[in-house]
Amino acid sequence: MTTTPAAAWNPQRPGPMPFHRYRPFQDRVHVPADARDWPAARVERAPLWVPVDLRDGNQALAEPMDTPRKRRFFDLLTGMGFKEIEVGYPSASRTDFDFVRHLATGGAVPDDVTPVVFTPARRDLIDRTFEAIEGMPRAVVHLYIATSPVWRDVVLGRDRAEVRRTVREAAEHMARRADKASYVRFQFSPETYNLTEPDFVLELCDGLTELWDASPDRPVTHNLPATVEIATPNVYADQIEYVHRNLSRRDSVILSVHPHNDRGTGVACAELAVLAGAQRVEGCLFGNGERTGNVDLVTLALNLYAQGVDPMIDFRDIDTVRETVERCNRLPVHPRHPYAGDLVHTAFSGTHQDAISKGLARHAEQARELGVPERQAPWSVPYLPIDPADVGRSYEAVIRVNSQSGKGGMAYLLRTHHGVDIPARMRPDFSRAVQEATDDSGREMAAKELYELFRATYVVEDGEVALDAWSVHRDEAGGGHRFVCTLRTGERTGDYEGTGSGPVSAFVDALAGAGVDVQVLDFCEQAGDDGANAFAECRVRGTTCWGAGQDSSALAASVRAVLSAVNRALR
């Protein structure tokens, strides 16, 4: 083994861990890769999704589900649109057997849903499995046996011929037990497929396709699990494409995959496997399963959705889906879990917030231009691969403010939650106030707290200058305005009058008469459903400050904004 010398820019050096104990995949299994079509393939239709939460996922729980929890989960799955569901391992426990009987006798299975039951290649356990499904109008009986050399040698103590004989005897017994009055199909899983010799896998699968007399209207499912991930996802894709190309009676076979997540690439393995010819994917909602879990069907399906492909599963209320799964599994879904976590549509960073805020505004503008509701307009918003509203999320949590946030996010929250659209030039000033507050507290600032900080900072109710009474009169002849008021400045109170082209300039003139010289640098006002907001940037005695005013009257809001800026400057 040769070692490539480190580049000059890379200061990493050999570490202390005994990596030499482990072999790369190419030293463990032969992966034929003579031809590859999958890199150029595109997924244009969802595969058949098969949730295994009630069997494989259930086996991974510290507290396995009882019948009421399983039934709640099953009803969730059927309600979402899953059409083939692995419902249990009837020979493994009384609880699993009882639940399958509950489905068989209780009328819980919709007419278009097919239950799948799981059995090892043992005659007595196969019998127990068929007892469980008795009376079901349709079912898939899923036969499995481990096939890789390490399992044959270490666990089973059988060579290839003995494994082949065991599988055939079990499959023959299944064929005899199948109720001719019901529609029972068969499935085979060579467990640890991804570590099994490719020619042995084909030999086993083709033998069962023939034995079970598979046909296009009664196909057999061959399920190829990555029981323990051993390589990068492209290697699994090569393995799946090899079988896809070489299976006999291919039109009578549903090629299925069951990736696990030991390397953290279960989703990628499944996606590439579909490109390589897989038609069916087994997994769990949110990826529950032994060790690091089964592949996550939620992420897989919504990844397709984000590419404009119908996932054929209903995720319009993803929070209810998540809450039900958490309750049944008694396991939390991580807040950063793709699509479904509490924080996956949330931005704290200022640059992210600014991009999202601008993207949402542009989306609304585009919808108006197209003359369609926003929910129907094409989606293209930075940092949000899908519209959170499509999965039942509101926009309330898209932008949240902490010490990392920027001016765009704060402006977005004030505008969407409180109807206050602060001017662009004012935002850096408010950003400094928020930064100081969040740095001091060390925590996130809710929209309500943000609004309270805005009012406390810019809406000054009392200060050195106060208006005890005021009125505005329009000069019909000259077109100007006259501002008449009683002003209190410090300890003095007096009546003053000012004139100007508008009410604000007339008020500034009245302030000058009271000895307070004010220069208005920027000013704007906004009318809303609940009243008006106004913003003024003023320079007073060399100090520049922003102020805000809120009132049912736009004129009163404007006067209050100037007065707030003046009092802030005079502090």
Side-chain angles (χ1 to χ4, degrees):
M1 178 178 177
T2 60
T3 302
T4 304
W9 49 261
N10 185 352
Q12 292 178 172
R13 293 296 177 262
M17 297 181 68
F19 63 91
H20 59 275
R21 301 177 59 205
Y22 303 98
R23 292 182 295 157
F25 79 90
Q26 64 268 24
D27 292 347
R28 304 171 70 188
V29 62
H30 172 59
V31 180
D34 298 331
R36 288 188 180 95
D37 288 336
W38 64 260
R42 297 291 181 270
V43 179
E44 298 177 348
R45 179 182 172 85
L48 176 63
W49 308 114
V50 181
V52 297
D53 300 81
L54 300 175
R55 193 277 300 176
D56 199 345
N58 191 51
Q59 289 178 277
L61 299 177
E63 300 176 46
M65 289 181 272
D66 54 16
T67 291
R69 284 160 63 198
K70 278 198 166 194
R71 175 60 189 273
R72 182 172 182 174
F73 209 132
F74 180 79
D75 289 345
L76 171 71
L77 295 172
T78 57
M80 294 174 68
F82 289 102
K83 301 303 180 185
E84 194 169 302
I85 302 170
E86 192 169 73
V87 296
Y89 190 164
S91 64
S93 70
R94 180 73 188 180
T95 302
D96 266 31
F97 184 89
D98 288 347
F99 178 67
V100 177
R101 291 308 301 152
H102 167 77
L103 295 179
T105 61
V109 183
D111 292 340
D112 59 349
V113 172
T114 301
V116 182
V117 287
F118 189 74
T119 181
R122 275 179 46 185
R123 185 186 183 98
D124 58 329
L125 302 183
I126 292 169
D127 287 338
R128 182 69 168 164
T129 302
F130 276 90
E131 290 171 18
I133 64 171
E134 184 177 354
M136 281 188 174
R138 70 207 152 274
V140 174
V141 179
H142 179 180
L143 173 71
Y144 84 96
I145 191 170
T147 55
S148 65
V150 67
W151 274 77
R152 296 196 307 259
D153 297 342
V154 175
V155 181
L156 301 178
R158 301 175 189 174
D159 60 19
R160 282 174 56 153
E162 290 170 310
V163 169
R164 186 187 312 111
R165 183 168 57 252
T166 299
V167 169
R168 186 169 186 87
E169 290 173 355
E172 289 173 343
H173 189 59
M174 286 171 57
R176 289 191 295 269
R177 284 299 312 256
D179 185 350
K180 304 305 180 185
S182 63
Y183 185 75
V184 174
R185 292 190 291 109
F186 300 125
Q187 174 175 336
F188 172 61
S189 284
E191 192 182 0
T192 63
Y193 155 75
N194 57 331
L195 275 170
T196 303
E197 306 94 331
D199 66 304
F200 189 41
V201 171
L202 282 176
E203 181 184 348
L204 292 174
C205 290
D206 287 346
L208 294 184
T209 302
E210 181 180 4
L211 172 64
W212 285 330
D213 193 21
S215 63
D217 62 341
R218 202 181 189 103
V220 64
T221 298
H222 288 313
N223 185 55
L224 307 179
T227 308
V228 178
E229 283 195 299
I230 62 163
T232 49
N234 61 295
V235 173
Y236 189 53
D238 286 340
Q239 292 177 305
I240 298 302
E241 187 166 27
Y242 173 79
V243 175
H244 166 61
R245 287 176 178 274
N246 292 284
L247 277 172
S248 63
R249 296 164 74 166
R250 184 65 184 86
D251 63 346
S252 301
V253 173
I254 301 169
L255 185 58
S256 175
V257 292
H258 181 118
H260 278 249
N261 199 42
D262 302 86
R263 291 169 54 95
T265 58
V267 166
C269 280
E271 291 180 326
L272 267 58
V274 172
L275 293 176
Q279 302 152 292
R280 178 181 183 273
V281 177
E282 293 186 352
C284 288
L285 300 191
F286 307 114
N288 177 48
E290 293 282 16
R291 308 180 313 279
T292 51
N294 293 290
V295 70
D296 173 17
L297 296 187
V298 175
T299 300
L300 283 170
L302 288 175
N303 280 355
L304 283 187
Y305 183 72
Q307 295 294 309
V309 177
D310 182 1
M312 300 186 178
I313 300 296
D314 188 355
F315 291 103
R316 289 176 299 172
D317 188 358
I318 201 160
D319 286 338
T320 295
V321 173
R322 188 193 69 197
E323 289 161 8
T324 302
V325 173
E326 287 179 325
R327 184 179 294 269
C328 292
N329 284 344
R330 295 177 180 170
L331 289 173
V333 172
H334 195 280
R336 296 292 183 191
H337 194 101
Y339 300 107
D342 280 336
L343 297 177
V344 296
H345 303 295
T346 300
F348 292 101
S349 160
T351 54
H352 290 209
Q353 292 175 343
D354 183 59
I356 291 171
S357 178
K358 290 175 180 175
L360 291 173
R362 179 66 186 93
H363 177 73
E365 180 184 342
Q366 184 182 37
R368 288 192 297 272
E369 292 170 353
L370 295 172
V372 299
E374 289 185 30
R375 290 291 304 277
Q376 297 300 320
W379 183 255
S380 183
V381 174
Y383 294 114
L384 296 178
I386 66 170
D387 185 346
D390 286 353
V391 291
R393 291 285 181 84
S394 71
Y395 294 117
E396 292 180 3
V398 169
I399 291 176
R400 289 161 60 174
V401 169
N402 63 14
S403 60
Q404 304 300 309
S405 304
K407 51 187 182 295
M410 300 161 200
Y412 174 84
L413 288 181
L414 285 178
R415 182 175 66 251
T416 55
H417 289 266
H418 299 284
V420 177
D421 190 6
I422 61 178
R425 285 193 57 212
M426 183 181 180
R427 293 174 189 177
D429 190 79
F430 185 45
S431 176
R432 287 188 288 272
V434 174
Q435 183 87 40
E436 183 177 345
T438 50
D439 276 341
D440 288 345
S441 68
R443 63 178 182 83
E444 179 186 351
M445 182 172 284
K448 181 181 178 183
E449 295 173 301
L450 193 70
Y451 179 64
E452 290 170 351
L453 178 63
F454 164 77
R455 282 191 54 85
T457 303
Y458 296 107
V459 183
V460 179
E461 300 292 350
D462 53 14
E464 184 172 332
V465 180
L467 266 174
D468 292 339
W470 63 276
S471 61
V472 176
H473 308 275
R474 186 177 180 85
D475 181 354
E476 298 297 341
H481 291 76
R482 186 162 55 89
F483 195 96
V484 179
C485 61
T486 301
L487 277 173
R488 176 175 51 81
T489 56
E491 300 297 324
R492 296 181 306 163
T493 300
D495 295 327
Y496 300 92
E497 182 176 317
T499 59
S501 59
V504 170
S505 58
F507 176 42
V508 168
D509 190 47
L511 286 169
V516 182
D517 291 324
V518 179
Q519 182 182 2
V520 178
L521 304 178
D522 200 353
F523 175 84
C524 71
E525 62 182 34
Q526 303 156 359
D529 294 337
D530 299 324
N533 297 303
F535 311 90
E537 183 185 27
C538 299
R539 180 176 294 130
V540 183
R541 298 173 187 171
T543 300
T544 300
C545 283
W546 278 94
Q550 297 177 309
D551 200 278
S552 58
S553 158
L555 174 58
S558 300
V559 172
R560 289 175 182 271
V562 173
L563 191 62
S564 293
V566 168
N567 280 317
R568 291 191 70 220
L570 292 175
R571 283 178 178 172

